[in-house]
Amino acid sequence: MKAINFKEFGEADVLQLGDAPEPVLRPHDLLVRNHAVGVNRADLTHRRGGYGRANFGDSDIMGLEIAGEVIATGAEVDGFQTGDRVMGIVGGGAYAEIARIDYRMAMHIPERLDYIHAAAIPEVFVTAHEALVHLGRLQAGDAVLIHAAAGGVGSAAVQLAHAIGTQVFATADASKLERVQQLGADRGIDYKTEDFAAVIAGATDGRGVDVVIDFIGAPYLERNLLSLADGGRLVQVGLLGGGKNAALPLDRLLYKHLQIMGTVMKSRPPQVKQAMVRRFSEQWLRHFERANLAPVLDSVFALSKAADAHRRMESGLNVGKIILIPFGNGA
């Protein structure tokens, strides 16, 4: 089969289309012919050497998110059969024509969605649900601040928070704020020209928000805590701005009864990942069938152009998901 390989860590041009052996089917696996593959920031870290020569459980090949057709099933698989259209999260191996996925990490693709749109769902929406609902305990009537709201997880979080019935504040570049508000944000905040903590204080009469979802890290930590209401929860999902030398106002943390939590899917044990997928699919999958939720697509590249897809993500210009298609048109 064809797959993306790289012999050394480095810039995007190290990614090359080549040959690789097909994955071996295990008892709990589905073998999937990929029609579309999601690109994630973890792929950039992998390419640059941040994980070393990582094998995340399924493959040495990079890529964590697939959508395609089941071509074989393991002996202990339940609920899936050959010919099913599935999407899901894999432990590596997505950047290839064929991948294997533990069936407990797979979801049936809603009938109204094609493969390309399906590939834009699993990683970002499962992560967003975990941060907002499972950890953040967001409920109708709450207020939430979502940073990097034009990115993959951020745009998914905005949609979920809006669907729950909350007041949604969202930071993004000024050029992306209109799109973020179309997704459900009540107030878009230009992170370059506006102080989000001041905006939150003014808009909530000093109360603050119940939940903050942050991907930036150290530069935002102090203002994130200042933006939280009594009993508020900060869920840290990424560290795009770095994770060291952060100012932590312990008095605010103590007297406001605040909570700080972190979540990373990739490093979780398999049973925890499976529970995350199950929680998301049980609560939200039907909403995609009804068009209440929609994956946000930025751009689509052929698998052979994976380097260009990485450059697109590195540019910071994307709004929503970047997708690779191994062959055909991904329909």
Side-chain angles (χ1 to χ4, degrees):
M1 69 174 183
K2 294 296 182 182
I4 293 295
N5 300 306
F6 60 103
K7 296 180 180 179
E8 58 187 12
F9 302 123
E11 299 303 315
D13 56 9
V14 302
L15 301 179
Q16 299 292 326
L17 186 67
D19 295 314
E22 292 187 9
V24 176
L25 189 68
R26 301 167 301 193
H28 290 96
D29 283 339
L30 307 174
L31 206 60
V32 177
R33 187 176 304 281
N34 291 335
H35 287 266
V37 173
V39 177
N40 292 282
R41 289 202 171 271
D43 304 343
L44 308 186
T45 303
H46 189 180
R47 189 201 76 219
R48 295 167 183 157
Y51 307 127
R53 283 292 174 185
N55 182 311
F56 300 123
D58 289 329
S59 177
D60 294 322
I61 298 169
M62 72 163 53
L64 303 171
E65 187 174 30
I66 66 170
E69 178 186 358
V70 177
I71 58 175
T73 61
E76 298 181 32
V77 166
D78 181 42
F80 296 90
Q81 60 186 1
T82 301
D84 282 353
R85 298 191 321 136
V86 298
M87 59 185 182
I89 299 166
V90 297
Y95 284 30
E97 291 181 321
I98 297 173
R100 66 183 179 187
I101 180 172
D102 187 307
Y103 80 94
R104 293 161 294 190
M105 296 293 291
M107 296 171 278
H108 291 282
I109 295 175
E111 187 175 345
R112 61 178 294 271
L113 294 181
D114 60 22
Y115 287 115
I116 289 175
H117 286 81
I121 292 175
E123 184 81 20
V124 295
F125 275 95
V126 170
T127 300
H129 170 79
E130 190 72 7
L132 282 173
V133 181
H134 186 65
L135 296 177
R137 306 189 301 281
L138 192 69
Q139 301 179 35
D142 284 349
V144 60
L145 169 62
I146 299 168
H147 290 299
V153 179
S155 61
V158 169
Q159 289 192 69
L160 294 183
H162 176 72
I164 289 168
T166 66
Q167 183 181 18
V168 183
F169 298 91
T171 66
D173 183 270
S175 64
K176 302 175 181 180
L177 288 178
E178 182 178 358
R179 179 62 176 135
V180 168
Q181 289 175 296
Q182 290 171 351
L183 294 174
D186 297 291
R187 172 64 157 91
I189 303 170
D190 178 0
Y191 75 93
K192 293 181 179 178
T193 63
E194 296 183 278
D195 179 348
F196 66 81
V199 172
I200 296 297
T204 63
D205 294 326
R207 175 185 178 275
V209 297
D210 300 282
V211 178
V212 173
I213 304 298
D214 182 46
F215 305 85
I216 308 303
Y220 280 13
L221 179 60
E222 183 173 17
R223 284 186 292 159
N224 280 337
L225 266 61
L226 293 175
S227 300
L228 283 171
D230 286 358
R233 286 82 66 194
L234 165 62
V235 183
Q236 198 70 45
V237 185
L239 297 172
L240 294 175
K244 297 181 179 179
N245 303 318
L248 176 59
L250 286 172
D251 55 344
R252 180 83 177 186
L253 181 72
L254 179 66
Y255 296 118
K256 287 287 188 176
H257 315 290
L258 307 180
Q259 299 177 53
I260 303 175
M261 294 163 277
T263 180
V264 176
M265 180 184 292
K266 181 169 48 55
S267 60
R268 299 288 190 92
Q271 62 271 25
V272 175
K273 294 180 183 179
Q274 293 160 16
M276 292 169 68
V277 171
R278 184 174 62 252
R279 284 192 289 266
F280 164 76
S281 60
E282 288 176 351
Q283 182 165 348
W284 295 110
L285 206 54
R286 64 185 182 277
H287 291 267
F288 290 93
E289 193 65 67
R290 300 170 183 171
N292 296 331
L293 296 173
V296 180
L297 287 180
D298 176 78
S299 49
V300 180
F301 295 83
L303 181 64
S304 61
K305 301 295 184 181
D308 291 336
H310 277 218
R311 293 187 190 101
R312 174 68 180 173
M313 179 167 282
E314 288 170 326
S315 75
L317 297 175
N318 62 296
V319 177
K321 290 289 292 188
I322 299 169
I323 302 296
L324 300 173
I325 50 173
F327 49 81
N329 59 12

